[in-house]
Amino acid sequence: VIIDDVRLESGTPMFSAKVSSDITMSGTGAQAVVFDSEIVDRGNWYNNSSGKAVAPVSGDYVIKASIPCFKTSNSDEVDVELFVNAVSVYQFGHLDTQHHGSSEQAIKSILDIVYPLEAGDVVLIAVKESTGIGFKSNQFIRAIGATFSMKLMR
C-alpha cells in the first residue's frame, strides 16, 4: 500500500504497545513513557526503545493511552501529557498518588483523542511531577494496564 508516496505494509498504519514491567519515575521535567513491548506495528513507525512514534503520513489519527500510577512512599502529583514534536499539546491527566500506595491501588489516566498530524510528526506520552521540583522516591507507572496506540483514520 502506498499513501502520500510512502510505502506501507498491508493494512491501515497502526501500532499498539505496552509496558512490560513497572517504570520508576524520576528527575525533573517531562519523562517519556517507553512502552517497550510492541503488540502490533503496521508500518514500523513506533520505536519501543524511545517511546516515540513518527507519523508515516499526514492525516487524522486516533491516539489512545492508559497510564496507571502508584507510589510506595512520598506522594506526588503527576501530570500526564501528549507531546507532538517536543511540545505538550494536551494534558490528559493530573494524578495525586497520595492514597495509591501499591500497584493494586494504581490511579489511571486515560487518553482517547483524534488528532491531526503531518507526516514526520513525532508523538510520545510523558509524565512529570506537577510542581516542577521533581519526583520523590518510589513513584511508579504500573506495567499492568499501561498502553499506547495510534491508528490512521484518514
Side-chain angles (χ1 to χ4, degrees):
V1 175
I2 297 179
I3 300 175
D4 294 342
D5 297 325
V6 176
R7 183 172 177 79
L8 301 170
E9 295 176 20
S10 180
T12 301
M14 70 176 74
F15 77 86
S16 181
K18 63 182 181 173
V19 171
S20 63
S21 61
D22 292 350
I23 298 172
T24 301
M25 296 180 278
S26 61
T28 58
Q31 174 184 338
V33 179
V34 177
F35 300 83
D36 61 335
S37 180
E38 290 182 69
I39 299 165
V40 65
D41 189 356
R42 288 197 189 125
N44 195 32
W45 51 295
Y46 177 72
N47 183 322
N48 66 345
S49 296
S50 67
K52 296 177 181 178
V54 180
V57 296
S58 299
D60 296 328
Y61 288 79
V62 174
I63 305 173
K64 296 183 179 189
S66 172
I67 308 293
C69 297
F70 70 97
K71 57 88 183 172
T72 56
S73 66
N74 300 321
S75 67
D76 270 323
E77 292 185 15
V78 179
D79 291 335
V80 187
E81 302 179 10
L82 171 67
F83 278 75
V84 176
N85 299 326
V87 175
S88 175
V89 297
Y90 185 64
Q91 179 181 324
F92 64 96
H94 179 83
L95 309 174
D96 183 349
T97 61
Q98 180 175 357
H99 300 292
H100 303 277
S102 72
S103 60
E104 290 77 26
Q105 298 173 331
I107 185 172
K108 189 181 287 189
S109 185
I110 304 290
L111 172 68
D112 188 349
I113 191 171
V114 174
Y115 198 87
L117 297 171
E118 297 297 323
D121 281 351
V122 178
V123 180
L124 64 84
I125 304 298
V127 294
K128 68 179 181 182
E129 194 279 325
S130 64
T131 66
I133 60 172
F135 287 106
K136 301 177 186 99
S137 61
N138 302 312
Q139 304 293 317
F140 301 96
I141 294 173
R142 185 174 191 211
I144 296 173
T147 59
F148 178 32
S149 64
M150 292 176 57
K151 180 178 180 179
L152 176 65
M153 288 182 55
R154 212 35 167 146

